[in-house]
Amino acid sequence: MDKLVHAIAAEGTVRVLAATTTGIVSEAVRRHQTSPTVSAALGRMLTGTLLLGATLKDFDRLTVKVEGDGPVGAITAEATKDGTVRGYVKNAVAELPMKENGKFDVAGIVGSGTFYVIREAGYDIGFRPEPYIGSVPIVSGEIAEDFAYYLANSEQIPSAVMLGVLLSSTEPFVTAAGGVMIQMMPGANEHIITMIEDTIRHAPHVTEMIREGASPADLAEMALGIIDFEVLEEREVSFACNCSFEKAVAMVAGLGREEVEAILAEEKQAVMTCGFCNETYLLDENDLKKILNEFS
Ligand code: ZN
């Protein structure tokens, strides 16, 4: 089971979010049938969005989107305050050769463009206020650096972000995934920042640690080195989408009576696929007739 830890250090001036997301990324890869490089990119986005979303308040929803000119087109991830995340890409089968160092060319597949963060509040209790939308240019395309750049430049929170996805060539393809996000709150002391930067520079890869069984608290400890920390919260996190058969029915009904009659006459069924999670809902003849009965 994937887990996320929210911790603080240095009298609350340093906030640490760490998560293992192997299950989440496996689920996303299975649902969207992504190529290896796209899997790495989507996995980093899902993990980064989950970490950033861990500080959401009640009724908030967070969407992060990278829109670049690379072959993947765009990647979107959305986290809720309940610790769920979902996401999708524009072109799941885009692929590029590996880089000379044997790593996936995530920056190449993303390209240059814009990194968006959209925060919505109150959506699930019926409020529809204007969402907050922050955006910065894609500075790296490797995703972790882009989260850090966004936090520093758009939210004035200096941060260090590590995101990793380790893949294998056989199912379930994702061997390990996870990440750590360290946010320096107002009052964080320069000495502590330097110590953390130095620790991270010499730290092992998060995915190597997760493969060997590291928990989110172990990842936080790795990133903080000798600095003590206090875990405020540990929770389970998962890939989840809020689509349902009932919502698919409501969407078909929303097409209107004439359109539903035409579908019933011509195709005798309607197939709805959720863009976020790739789940397919099949409405058969009976379901379509039931919708038409509701109109009369
Ligand atoms: Zn869905």
Side-chain angles (χ1 to χ4, degrees):
M1 178 50 90
D2 293 337
K3 286 205 166 103
L4 183 145
V5 150
H6 185 174
I8 50 166
E11 279 99 47
T13 59
V14 176
R15 178 192 274 163
V16 186
L17 306 151
T20 53
T21 58
T22 311
I24 288 170
V25 180
S26 299
E27 181 71 9
V29 167
R30 185 185 69 78
R31 284 180 172 274
H32 294 293
Q33 299 285 302
T34 43
S35 73
T37 306
V38 173
S39 301
L42 176 61
R44 291 181 197 177
M45 278 289 284
L46 290 167
T47 305
T49 304
L50 197 62
L51 294 174
L52 191 60
T55 57
L56 289 174
K57 294 178 197 73
D58 284 355
F59 310 120
D60 281 3
R61 176 165 61 181
L62 175 80
T63 306
V64 180
K65 184 173 184 185
V66 284
E67 218 169 58
D69 59 4
V72 74
I75 310 172
T76 306
E78 186 189 283
T80 67
K81 64 169 173 59
D82 305 316
T84 66
V85 67
R86 58 182 186 163
Y88 65 96
V89 301
K90 196 163 179 190
N91 183 7
V93 295
E95 191 52 298
L96 285 175
M98 289 234 184
K99 295 194 287 189
E100 276 178 18
N101 61 7
K103 300 211 184 258
F104 294 112
D105 189 2
V106 172
I109 213 132
V110 169
S112 44
T114 310
F115 181 93
Y116 296 95
V117 173
I118 302 148
R119 286 177 193 272
E120 292 162 280
Y123 70 96
D124 57 359
I125 49 169
F127 292 156
R128 300 272 169 193
E130 281 288 292
Y132 159 83
I133 304 175
S135 70
V136 291
I138 295 170
V139 286
S140 142
E142 293 289 338
I143 314 291
E145 293 84 347
D146 297 291
F147 272 94
Y149 184 82
Y150 164 79
L151 278 164
N153 290 278
S154 200
E155 301 202 9
Q156 283 71 52
I157 302 173
S159 306
V161 183
M162 288 169 276
L163 302 171
V165 175
L166 191 64
L167 299 174
S168 70
S169 53
T170 52
E171 284 203 69
F173 303 118
V174 182
T175 306
V180 183
M181 180 178 281
I182 300 176
Q183 303 181 351
M184 312 296 176
M185 308 317 287
N189 127 1
E190 277 300 319
H191 180 59
I192 294 270
I193 295 176
T194 311
M195 274 171 74
I196 292 172
E197 283 171 349
D198 195 55
T199 305
I200 289 173
R201 207 169 296 127
H202 299 101
H205 277 287
V206 290
T207 46
E208 292 295 340
M209 291 183 63
I210 293 166
R211 182 168 65 171
E212 279 156 31
S215 67
D218 295 331
L219 300 178
E221 190 178 343
M222 170 275 288
L224 290 172
I226 58 162
I227 301 167
D228 282 337
F229 65 95
E230 180 196 344
V231 173
L232 297 180
E233 188 190 18
E234 186 182 48
R235 72 191 321 182
E236 288 183 354
V237 287
S238 60
F239 184 101
C241 189
N242 60 8
C243 64
S244 64
F245 183 75
E246 289 68 32
K247 283 187 184 175
V249 168
M251 280 181 77
V252 172
L255 297 172
R257 184 192 196 117
E258 278 179 30
E259 187 68 20
V260 179
E261 276 172 348
I263 294 170
L264 183 60
E266 287 157 30
E267 288 136 59
K268 298 193 171 49
Q269 62 173 43
V271 180
M272 307 288 286
T273 301
C274 173
F276 256 108
C277 70
N278 225 17
E279 187 73 41
T280 295
Y281 297 98
L282 173 75
L283 281 68
D284 63 16
E285 233 176 314
N286 275 332
D287 298 319
L288 294 171
K289 281 179 184 161
K290 252 188 244 170
I291 292 172
L292 286 173
N293 281 337
E294 297 285 312
F295 281 121
S296 52

